Amino acid sequence: MKKKNLLNKEDISLFRTSVAGTRRIVQDTVTHTPKRKKISHVAPERLMQEQVDASYYFSDEFQPNLDMEGPIRYIREGANHYELKKLRRGDYSPELFLDLHGLTQLQAKQEIGALVAACRREHVYCACIMHGHGKHILKQQTPLWLAQHPDVIAFHQAPRGWGGNAALLILIEMEEFTQR
């Protein structure tokens, strides 16, 4: 059991006389504004349409030619291979995360489509998809779906700090800024 007071009575009284007339400091909360602007409100209809549009790209029959030796990785044809190396090293830190644990394949496709749409809308270049280990269904299907999407530049198995072989880091192509 810990001793409550390690000081003797004389030291305690000296302390009380030295702090006489003071008051406790009131702790206030400081909120910091985010670095990038968030879109304040997006219509639910638009979000649903983005999910449907994005899931249109994903087919279960199509089998892209992915290298299955070593960690899961993909680079779009014509893209800079150095981007894949930077993903592998963990030079990019993801700004958005998607956790697919407990989802069905249909739900996972819709959520991945919504993630890609949200990345484009929010101007997020790198995101993380955590598919987990489980029965390896989503772990096998997620790279096949991502390789089909035209806005995905590259993906690589995440470094250990971002989920290791239970997650993927993806790079999303940004649309050029246009005035609306």
Side-chain angles (χ1 to χ4, degrees):
M1 193 152 70
K2 293 183 178 181
K3 294 182 181 177
K4 191 169 184 175
N5 290 326
L6 299 175
L7 301 174
N8 60 30
K9 291 182 181 182
E10 186 177 298
D11 290 337
I12 293 172
S13 65
L14 177 64
F15 173 76
R16 290 184 191 264
T17 56
S18 65
V19 295
T22 60
R23 61 181 174 86
R24 289 184 177 264
I25 297 175
V26 177
Q27 177 64 31
D28 58 346
T29 304
V30 177
T31 57
H32 299 282
T33 57
K35 291 181 182 177
R36 66 182 158 86
K37 275 188 159 179
K38 297 263 185 189
I39 295 175
S40 59
H41 177 70
V42 179
E45 298 84 22
R46 179 178 172 190
L47 292 175
M48 288 300 295
Q49 189 60 43
E50 284 178 349
Q51 275 187 328
V52 170
D53 291 346
S55 66
Y56 168 78
Y57 297 113
F58 305 135
S59 168
D60 291 327
E61 286 81 33
F62 179 72
Q63 293 291 320
N65 188 15
L66 295 177
D67 186 13
M68 294 301 178
E69 296 293 319
I72 301 169
R73 63 194 174 281
Y74 163 81
I75 184 82
R76 184 171 63 194
E77 191 173 316
N80 188 353
H81 284 272
Y82 187 62
E83 295 295 317
L84 191 63
K85 184 177 182 179
K86 291 195 302 189
L87 263 181
R88 178 181 52 85
R89 289 190 315 211
D91 290 350
Y92 294 113
S93 54
E95 293 183 58
L96 290 179
F97 293 85
L98 175 62
D99 189 356
L100 299 178
H101 289 88
L103 299 182
T104 64
Q105 288 188 44
L106 179 61
Q107 291 170 331
K109 272 196 263 189
Q110 290 175 341
E111 290 299 320
I112 291 170
L115 174 73
V116 172
C119 287
R120 289 182 56 86
R121 185 176 59 248
E122 299 281 336
H123 301 288
V124 172
Y125 188 58
C126 182
C128 181
I129 298 177
M130 296 169 281
H131 48 70
H133 295 288
K135 295 180 181 176
H136 294 281
I137 295 169
L138 291 179
K139 183 175 181 164
Q140 291 171 353
Q141 287 298 117
T142 302
L144 302 178
W145 294 329
L146 287 172
Q148 298 174 45
H149 202 288
D151 295 330
V152 174
I153 298 170
F155 59 82
H156 198 284
Q157 176 181 310
R160 183 172 281 174
W162 299 112
N165 62 359
L168 292 171
L169 288 184
I170 63 172
L171 293 181
I172 304 295
E173 183 175 43
M174 292 292 106
E175 61 187 33
E176 296 301 318
F177 181 73
T178 57
Q179 290 279 341
R180 291 185 188 187

